Amino acid sequence: AEVIRADGSVEPLPWGPEGRGRLRLGPGDGLAVTTSGGGGYGDPKTRDRWRVLRDLREGRISARAAVEAYGLDPKEIPSEAGEDDGDG
């Protein structure tokens, strides 16, 4: 986590015993927290086919991921999905 001050400067949020307590934010200051992405829940091969196709159509997953991770039959991939970019 970081404190983003109104003047644009960035300070790491203090952690550990010396960093516990209160943090004073002034007008225009902000707090940025970065979290890890979720890995999903359950077996991806059991995901509803229509959801996998929607994610493919919306560019959320690649054709390769649709086949390898989600078990989609390559024949189900619409031609407009285009070339596989190799991303997941």
Side-chain angles (χ1 to χ4, degrees):
E2 299 173 321
V3 177
I4 303 170
R5 297 293 179 187
D7 66 4
S9 63
V10 178
E11 305 169 13
L13 191 64
W15 293 104
E18 68 284 350
R20 294 185 186 193
R22 296 178 185 229
L23 173 68
R24 191 170 292 254
L25 297 175
D29 289 347
L31 186 63
V33 178
T34 304
T35 62
S36 62
Y41 178 79
D43 183 353
K45 290 190 175 13
T46 63
R47 185 175 171 93
D48 292 332
R49 307 319 315 143
W50 72 267
R51 292 181 189 275
V52 176
L53 288 167
R54 180 195 60 199
D55 289 349
L56 180 61
R57 184 179 64 250
E58 293 178 356
R60 295 174 186 258
I61 61 170
S62 67
R64 180 178 176 183
V67 172
E68 293 180 4
Y70 294 95
L72 195 68
D73 186 321
K75 296 174 194 164
E76 294 180 79
I77 296 177
S79 58
E80 66 269 11
E83 291 296 317
D84 182 13
D85 59 8
D87 291 340

